[in-house]
Amino acid sequence: MPHNHVYEAEHVTDDEEGDDLDEEMEEDPHIEDIDGSDSEEDENDYANNKLRDTTAAQARMGRDIQGIPWEKLSISREKYRQTRLEHYKNYENIPQSGDVSSMESKVVEKGGAYYQFRRNSRSVKSTILHFQLRNLVWATSKHDVFFMSNFSIIHWNALTCTRSEVLNVAGHVAPIEKHPGSLLEGFTQTQVGTLAVKDGLLIAGGFQGELICKYLDRPGVSYCSRTTYDDNAISNALEIYSSPSGALHFTAAINDSGVRDFDMERFQQTKHFSVSLASESYFSKS
């Protein structure tokens, strides 16, 4: 996905979805409230932390878990959901791949309670630049969530309802540790395209092939790497894992058709696979 087409693709998608909306929904002056995070009022509320959360008790009493004021709209939640399901166009890399997978999948009996709603924290807002970007929200436990909010990587504790900034990439970010191959000059104003958080390690991948590695229990950044200077260098996906020897590794899929493996015990790139459609390929980590 070339980075220079990111915003263009997003606008095309928005236009296509707008054409498919029901006329009643388009003409309703309150319909913008459904996507309330885009309104100027909500943006100010986010900045001032004034948006009300929705608790499980309030949801049981009838409050919408997303905070949508359905009673003020001329369309019901059920009608809106029905229209959305009928007209929403899902993005597919492979045409009609969903039809094939549904034929191969086992139909699960509906009606089971797999999850229970606990809380919607509307004052905590993640920002994703483009609908194709992956893994920008990570849950490392039942209560710990890491996500992108503009140029900040935020940790949210769902138990205490507190947030803290883990890393800010709006300005200059450089490693405070010295390792062979690490880019000591670091990066400035990195646009993060993907994240990985696991085993106390956080990795951010940028639009220009940047990799920023930070241990959550250490101050500062430990390692920076520019994987490629290719024009098409968006970091598509990252995966942190332990090798058979127990060493901590991560794999990075970059849009230059490269998949790279890094040993974080030695802070070294150990493998580089050159393949087509790197983000869609699967590799054995043996």
Side-chain angles (χ1 to χ4, degrees), residues 47 94 99 128 142 172 207 222 236:
I94 303 174
D99 297 337
I128 298 176
K142 293 181 180 179
H172 181 234
F207 275 35
S222 296
N236 283 318

Side-chain angles (χ1 to χ4, degrees), residues 110 127 137 242:
K110 297 182 179 180
T127 53
V137 178
S242 295

Side-chain angles (χ1 to χ4, degrees), residues 172-175 182-188 190 210 224:
H172 181 234
V173 174
S182 183
L183 197 65
L184 297 181
E185 60 267 32
F187 307 111
T188 301
T190 305
E210 308 98 326
C224 287

Side-chain angles (χ1 to χ4, degrees), residues 35 43 52 73 111 127 133 236 259:
D35 297 316
E43 288 294 341
R52 293 184 301 168
L73 305 181
T127 53
L133 299 182
N236 283 318
V259 175

Side-chain angles (χ1 to χ4, degrees), residues 6-26:
V6 165
Y7 297 103
E8 178 182 351
E10 186 175 33
H11 293 158
V12 169
T13 303
D14 289 342
D15 291 341
E16 289 176 351
E17 289 186 11
D19 293 340
D20 291 332
L21 290 176
D22 186 89
E23 290 183 3
E24 180 182 2
M25 297 165 64
E26 290 179 340

Side-chain angles (χ1 to χ4, degrees), residues 61-243:
M61 295 175 63
R63 177 182 291 184
D64 183 82
I65 63 174
Q66 293 178 276
I68 299 173
W70 293 106
E71 67 279 1
K72 296 181 181 180
L73 305 181
S74 61
I75 186 171
S76 67
R77 183 182 188 278
E78 292 72 21
K79 176 62 176 176
Y80 181 83
R81 175 174 172 77
Q82 178 186 350
T83 305
R84 179 75 168 175
L85 291 174
E86 290 175 353
H87 296 285
Y88 179 75
K89 291 184 178 180
N90 190 32
Y91 179 85
E92 294 180 318
N93 281 317
I94 303 174
Q96 299 180 328
S97 60
D99 297 337
V100 176
S101 62
S102 63
M103 294 173 60
E104 298 175 350
S105 301
K106 179 181 178 180
V107 178
V108 179
E109 183 178 348
K110 297 182 179 180
Y114 296 100
Y115 301 96
Q116 286 186 326
F117 174 77
R118 288 289 301 274
R119 189 182 194 94
N120 179 6
S121 300
R122 298 184 68 218
S123 58
V124 183
K125 183 182 181 182
S126 62
T127 53
I128 298 176
L129 290 175
H130 186 262
F131 74 102
Q132 282 182 277
L133 299 182
R134 304 169 177 89
N135 304 330
L136 289 173
V137 178
W138 278 81
T140 56
S141 75
K142 293 181 180 179
H143 312 297
D144 295 286
V145 181
F146 295 81
F147 61 92
M148 285 301 306
S149 181
N150 298 314
F151 281 95
S152 293
I153 300 174
I154 302 295
H155 169 243
W156 170 254
N157 187 312
L159 278 180
T160 60
C161 294
T162 56
R163 57 181 288 166
S164 57
E165 185 178 70
V166 179
L167 183 64
N168 190 311
V169 296
H172 181 234
V173 174
I176 62 174
E177 302 175 19
K178 293 184 179 180
H179 301 284
S182 183
L183 197 65
L184 297 181
E185 60 267 32
F187 307 111
T188 301
Q189 203 169 21
T190 305
Q191 286 187 294
V192 176
T194 188
L195 284 178
V197 189
K198 185 179 180 181
D199 295 335
L201 175 64
L202 181 151
I203 306 171
F207 275 35
Q208 303 295 328
E210 308 98 326
L211 292 176
I212 301 173
C213 304
K214 173 180 173 57
Y215 281 96
L216 299 177
D217 60 351
R218 302 182 194 176
V221 169
S222 296
Y223 180 77
C224 287
S225 175
R226 179 73 181 266
T227 56
T228 178
Y229 288 89
D230 194 278
D231 290 337
N232 195 5
I234 291 178
S235 303
N236 283 318
L238 300 165
E239 182 180 356
I240 300 170
Y241 69 98
S242 295
S243 69

